[in-house]
Amino acid sequence: MGLPTLLERRLVIVTGKGGVGKSTVTAALALLAARAGKRVLVCEVNAQERIAPLLGAPPSGYATRQARPGVHTVNVTPAEAMREYGLQVLHFRTIYEAVFENRVVRRFLRMIPSLPELVMLGKILNEVRAEEHERPRWDLVLVDAPATGHAVQLLRVPSALVGTVPAGPLRRDAEWMEELLVDPDRTAVALVTLPEEMPVNEAIELDGQVRGELGMLRGALFVNAMPDTRFSPEEAVRLAPLAAAAPPLGPAARAGRLYAIHAEQASRHLARARAALDLPTCVLPLLAVPEWGLSAVEAIAAAIAAAPPGSAP
Ligand SMILES: Nc1ncnc2c1ncn2[C@@H]1O[C@H](COP(=O)(O)OP(=O)(O)OP(=O)(O)O)[C@@H](O)[C@H]1O
Ligand SMILES: [Mg+2]
């Protein structure tokens, strides 16, 4: 039997270059998983909250809130995660307050550069292993991860700590966290890109880091905002001489030509991404919608459902 499909895993981390559609793809995956009967938690990482609004719900902040049936959201921040971690490890609020809210200790904690990442990741991974009534609290935890470099920085913290800190509670935490991240049965990374020069370059580089340095499984590639093919190559050629015609034909022909060139370039970048990444790929349409919200996310979810990663192109 092969590996479980993307949404059958317990933890899916969605990342890619800034602005390529990570939050949109995450929200769409959450809708699809919930529709399949899963209890889903979507975590944002210290973000300007996007997921709940994209699902048509008010922002959840650090509290875990239901955004839609089957989908909860939470925005994980370092301060709140630190507080939760402190309370969990030290158990007693008074001790927490004496230790963590002591000015000297706080200055010391700020000197450990990866501590915010550790506690935020710890909060997220704890949700993956949390149980309620003797079953997992969530069937699927989706992470709307930060863009490329910051995502790698976040995901690298456990392995970096395993290699540097002495045996003890911090090292034990780092160990189980790393174990979960590199387990291909439970965890996968989904890469998102646009069919454009720089986002594809960045996705290729990121893919190398996920495979190499992080040793994590890449489960899928989403190529977002793909323009459809409106003109055959012959038609595109015939648009050129029309560009000089009087309005409205001339401007319409120029707009058509621009679109045809964009679509042609996009298909080259898509082909380049497919060839370089060799991943189950899902191509999502460029949508013409004035307001980016739930209906756009629903349309993207429908496109994923119609041709999920790995189905024939
Ligand atoms: N398929 C699409 N068609 C048209 N526009 C899109 C598409 N996907 C995303 N967009 C546009 O791109 C914007 C950014 O999308 P989104 O917030 O999902 O990206 P992101 O990668 O999460 O960005 P950030 O790096 O800022 O978190 C959306 O608000 C929308 O305007
Ligand atoms: Mg986002």
Side-chain angles (χ1 to χ4, degrees), residues 28-211:
L29 290 174
L31 286 183
L32 291 174
R35 243 171 250 162
K38 292 182 189 290
R39 284 157 306 144
V40 184
L41 176 68
V42 185
C43 302
E44 289 183 79
V45 184
N46 201 20
Q48 189 77 38
E49 247 191 273
R50 280 283 277 161
I51 297 293
L54 278 176
L55 293 173
S60 53
Y62 194 77
T64 300
R65 291 234 173 82
Q66 172 157 317
R68 303 206 62 76
V71 183
H72 281 68
T73 60
V74 62
N75 187 14
V76 180
T77 62
E80 291 289 346
M82 183 84 80
R83 194 180 169 79
E84 203 172 298
Y85 182 72
L87 289 174
Q88 200 176 58
V89 173
L90 303 172
H91 300 296
F92 299 107
R93 187 170 299 268
T94 44
I95 303 181
Y96 170 83
E97 278 160 9
V99 177
F100 276 80
E101 298 195 350
N102 171 304
R103 279 225 325 275
V104 178
V105 173
R106 275 174 46 181
R107 195 171 326 138
F108 168 74
L109 289 176
R110 271 203 292 274
M111 286 162 53
I112 306 176
S114 52
L115 196 67
E117 280 83 10
L118 177 74
V119 293
M120 288 194 292
L121 194 61
K123 153 80 180 172
I124 294 168
L125 303 189
N126 253 326
E127 292 288 351
V128 179
R129 61 176 191 169
E131 297 206 339
E132 263 171 24
H133 314 297
E134 285 163 35
R135 58 192 281 227
R137 184 185 292 160
W138 312 107
D139 298 306
L140 171 67
V141 174
L142 278 165
V143 184
D144 182 11
T148 317
H150 289 111
V152 172
Q153 206 176 322
L154 179 75
L155 297 170
R156 128 184 340 138
V157 167
S159 62
L161 284 177
V162 167
T164 50
V165 301
L170 188 59
R171 166 104 148 255
R172 274 201 300 281
D173 273 348
E175 278 167 354
W176 75 258
M177 286 164 72
E178 188 190 18
E179 223 174 86
L180 170 54
L181 289 179
V182 301
D183 179 356
D185 279 321
R186 287 183 293 168
T187 305
V189 174
L191 301 174
V192 185
T193 188
L194 295 173
E196 292 173 14
E197 179 84 33
M198 297 308 289
V200 169
N201 292 350
E202 204 166 303
I204 294 170
E205 197 180 316
L206 174 60
D207 179 68
Q209 286 174 303
V210 174
R211 262 186 304 143

Side-chain angles (χ1 to χ4, degrees), residues 17-24 50 144 224-225 285-287 292 300:
K17 190 175 172 13
V20 295
K22 298 180 294 296
S23 299
T24 302
R50 280 283 277 161
D144 182 11
N224 185 30
L286 173 68
L287 299 179
W292 203 251
I300 295 295

